[in-house]
Amino acid sequence: MDNIIIPKSEIDKQKKIAASLREFCTGKKASVRTYGCQQNEADSERIEGALVLCGYEITKDTKNADLVIINTCAIREHAELRAFSGAGELKKLKENKKDMLIGICGCMIQEKHRREQIQKSYPYVDFVFGTDMHHRLPEIIFTALNSGKRVSFVSEKPHNDFGVISEDMPVKRKSDYRAWVSIMYGCDNFCSYCVVPYVRGRERSRSYDNIISEVKVLAAQGCRDITLLGQNVNSYKGEKAFPYLLSDIADIDGDFWVRFMTSHPKDASHELVDVIASNEKIARHFHLPFQAGSDRILGLMNRGYTKEQYLEKALEIKEKVKGISLTTDVICGFPTETDKDFSETLDVIKKVGFDMIYTFIFSPRKGTPAASMDRQVPREEQILRFNALNELQNENALKNNQNMVGQTIKVLSDGVNNGSCTGRSSQNKIITLDRPQEKGTFVDVVIVSAQQYSLTGRIK
Ligand code: SAH
Ligand code: SF4
Ligand code: F3S
């Protein structure tokens, strides 16, 4: 599908509406609560950018906000329940503050049954908007304030015609030294369990030039850690293929790391591994979800690779890029998964030795093929497998971290948080430091001890 960049005239129209709102909204406070993945975090920075343009001041203090937006996730049932309970908490607040505006957006809003549920059971929600509507936020707020009715801005057929890219709307970044840069949106892979292609629409890539310009500005501002975002960055379809985009970004002047999320194993190329190996500015972290070890389950999941192919890729990465941290996502209890299938998953974990695993129990998502497959695995078995995954991984994680004791590594400080001085390494490992270090600066650190999910280091 061709890129559909929202025309400048539409963006100008939104900026005009924002200007007309400023008189009314200046002095008012807005709060955005985010659930879900990095993509949603990045969207929330755009939402906050648009809110600032409308005159709002951003606050974390929901209680004192005049406008609250909940940015939701639909990936698993648990994520949806959390968002609903977040929305539920706002009811009381609004009872005490009648003119408070409440909006819900994000992936859950793209699901018809969730919109109906909000319509029916959350009467105090003033507006909802879909994942391709962020650039229209000024118009959405204007309409909500003026119509006195509930407002819905959602593409009716996200599945087919849901492919816009908005440039030139302001972004309010949470940090001045770590930044997200979206390089693509949506997903065309249709893994059989996953809701993302339905709620995020078709895959579309930003232009090479726009991405490079954004990174140049960040680098010039002193940003130290830049994460390129996409559901499957390897299928980036701009003017250059992903490995070359990554390499060009790493060549931009400035002292920063560039990282990326997420890679799909079927598209992670040898070129990509070679580019990472040859440039130290590309972070030593590779997140490569494998989901399951059994070829039969991988087939049912529509993942497009076998266990053997995955292992080859993972071991190539470890071999070519010394010291790289390899992390992954795993789903257990997928429909029809037997103990034998599951043992193949454990086998992959043993053979690769991941630094970190994100483990999930299969959650049926309405409208996806896996939700209606026969032989769903009973909950008790899913839990047993989930526990087995984590037990095995805990051992691996500790072993990997222990291997780092005595090494000197570069760490990006995050300053002092809740009384402890922490930072992150190029591998994205959390390091507890022995003394405060200004946040956003790099320091050399000797690793003195290892825990399962963090390391302790002494600044040199
Ligand atoms: N685009 C990324 C993943 C995004 S979703 C990729 O393909 O790697 C993040 C993770 O959530 C997935 O990797 C998967 O492990 C998990 N996930 C997605 N749908 C799920 C479902 N229905 N039940 C349980 N876990 C799920
Ligand atoms: Fe979902 Fe698969 Fe796309 Fe990842 S690649 S977002 S798991 S459909
Ligand atoms: Fe959730 Fe949407 Fe991300 S469903 S995981 S917030 S793309």
Side-chain angles (χ1 to χ4, degrees):
M1 191 179 87
D2 287 336
N3 289 342
I4 305 172
I5 302 218
I6 291 159
K8 193 169 173 300
S9 56
E10 170 64 26
I11 300 292
D12 287 345
K13 176 181 142 193
Q14 296 300 329
K15 288 185 175 168
K16 257 201 194 141
I17 301 175
S20 74
L21 277 173
R22 274 203 287 277
E23 201 176 319
F24 176 74
C25 296
T26 300
K28 292 192 185 292
K29 296 195 171 94
S31 181
V32 181
R33 275 208 208 166
T34 312
Y35 299 90
C37 66
Q38 291 87 352
Q39 192 66 66
N40 255 18
E41 296 281 348
D43 284 349
S44 287
E45 292 188 343
R46 278 180 216 128
I47 290 168
E48 291 190 358
L51 291 172
V52 169
L53 198 67
C54 295
Y56 287 98
E57 183 193 324
I58 304 297
T59 176
K60 280 195 184 125
D61 180 11
T62 314
K63 277 198 207 76
N64 289 315
D66 302 283
L67 166 70
V68 182
I69 294 180
I70 299 188
N71 192 3
T72 62
C73 170
I75 201 80
R76 285 168 292 275
E77 191 180 12
H78 179 68
E80 298 198 320
L81 294 178
R82 281 180 60 220
F84 275 125
S85 103
E89 283 168 26
L90 300 179
K91 187 177 180 195
K92 269 253 142 359
L93 291 182
K94 189 154 176 170
E95 276 166 11
N96 297 326
K97 198 170 181 177
K98 290 275 181 286
D99 57 355
M100 183 185 220
L101 268 188
I102 296 177
I104 307 190
C105 66
C107 295
M108 219 169 82
I109 295 303
Q110 292 300 148
E111 299 179 302
K112 192 157 177 269
H113 65 292
R114 293 306 187 196
R115 286 203 300 280
E116 286 167 357
Q117 190 176 351
I118 291 167
Q119 174 73 23
K120 204 167 127 227
S121 312
Y122 296 77
Y124 51 90
V125 172
D126 301 288
F127 60 93
V128 298
F129 60 98
T131 51
D132 59 345
M133 291 288 169
H134 303 132
H135 61 286
R136 290 176 72 182
L137 196 54
E139 183 185 354
I140 296 169
I141 294 175
F142 185 89
T143 316
L145 283 169
N146 289 297
S147 71
K149 283 196 239 141
R150 304 181 80 185
V151 173
S152 175
F153 279 62
V154 180
S155 300
E156 273 311 318
K157 281 190 292 177
H159 209 91
N160 307 321
D161 61 6
F162 179 11
V164 292
I165 291 186
S166 78
E167 301 282 354
D168 298 326
M169 279 297 277
V171 178
K172 186 175 183 304
R173 297 189 189 273
K174 283 221 162 42
S175 158
D176 54 9
Y177 62 94
R178 291 188 195 278
W180 313 115
V181 173
S182 295
I183 64 164
M184 57 194 298
Y185 306 95
C187 183
D188 285 352
N189 284 311
F190 289 96
C191 301
S192 63
Y193 50 82
C194 184
V195 79
V196 171
Y198 306 91
V199 297
R200 286 274 176 184
R202 298 288 55 76
E203 188 182 284
R204 53 220 186 262
S205 300
R206 281 180 77 196
S207 84
Y208 171 88
D209 289 343
N210 283 341
I211 297 168
I212 295 284
S213 309
E214 186 173 349
V215 175
K216 278 188 177 159
V217 170
L218 287 167
Q221 288 169 344
C223 187
R224 297 283 175 249
D225 192 299
I226 295 170
T227 305
L228 308 179
L229 287 182
Q231 292 298 348
N232 177 8
V233 290
N234 303 313
S235 66
Y236 172 73
K237 290 182 187 66
E239 291 76 351
K240 292 191 184 185
F242 181 65
Y244 308 103
L245 170 71
L246 182 63
S247 161
D248 290 356
I249 287 176
D251 284 342
I252 291 173
D253 279 345
D255 190 10
F256 63 88
W257 286 323
V258 55
R259 50 183 87 242
F260 54 89
M261 284 275 264
T262 294
S263 269
H264 193 301
K266 77 177 160 57
D267 304 312
S269 61
H270 303 298
E271 284 87 352
L272 176 60
V273 185
D274 293 340
V275 161
I276 300 171
S278 65
N279 200 323
E280 286 286 330
K281 275 169 76 177
I282 303 173
R284 266 43 196 150
H285 175 209
F286 208 119
H287 185 63
L288 194 65
F290 79 93
Q291 315 296 2
S294 143
D295 288 343
R296 190 183 65 80
I297 297 289
L298 285 170
L300 284 177
M301 286 179 162
N302 192 27
R303 287 292 288 179
Y305 52 85
T306 61
K307 175 185 174 192
E308 222 32 62
Q309 286 165 334
Y310 181 88
L311 284 174
E312 245 173 60
K313 187 70 44 187
L315 298 176
E316 175 189 346
I317 295 168
K318 283 188 101 168
E319 172 73 32
K320 284 190 180 163
V321 196
K322 293 290 173 236
I324 197 155
S325 157
L326 206 56
T327 60
T328 199
D329 293 345
V330 181
I331 297 177
C332 62
F334 187 83
T336 79
E337 186 187 65
T338 61
D339 281 338
K340 183 160 178 305
D341 291 319
F342 179 65
S343 71
E344 303 279 356
T345 296
L346 294 175
D347 189 48
V348 174
I349 297 174
K350 282 181 200 143
K351 290 202 165 109
V352 177
F354 294 100
D355 288 81
M356 170 93 100
I357 294 188
Y358 299 88
T359 43
F360 306 107
I361 290 179
F362 169 71
S363 169
R365 304 286 70 211
K366 199 176 162 89
T368 62
S372 51
M373 283 179 187
D374 286 342
R375 289 179 36 221
Q376 300 275 332
V377 175
R379 182 81 188 159
E380 311 79 73
E381 264 175 62
Q382 290 180 318
I383 293 172
L384 284 177
R385 288 177 196 166
F386 181 79
N387 292 342
L389 284 173
N390 287 309
E391 222 167 275
L392 174 60
Q393 180 51 26
N394 285 347
E395 283 170 35
N396 278 345
L398 186 61
K399 255 190 254 158
N400 283 351
N401 280 350
Q402 279 167 340
N403 287 338
M404 294 188 67
V405 174
Q407 289 181 21
T408 298
I409 59 169
K410 192 170 156 183
V411 173
L412 178 57
S413 165
D414 284 311
V416 183
N417 296 298
N418 301 326
S420 76
C421 314
T422 59
R424 281 183 187 257
S425 67
S426 165
Q427 296 96 333
N428 209 28
K429 291 190 188 256
I430 299 171
I431 323 286
T432 306
L433 303 172
D434 60 331
R435 54 193 149 94
Q437 170 73 24
E438 193 188 338
K439 70 175 164 188
T441 55
F442 285 118
V443 260
D444 285 331
V445 170
V446 189
I447 301 302
V448 292
S449 68
Q451 300 80 43
Q452 245 156 30
Y453 296 107
S454 67
L455 295 156
T456 307
R458 181 168 34 79
I459 298 176
K460 269 194 139 178

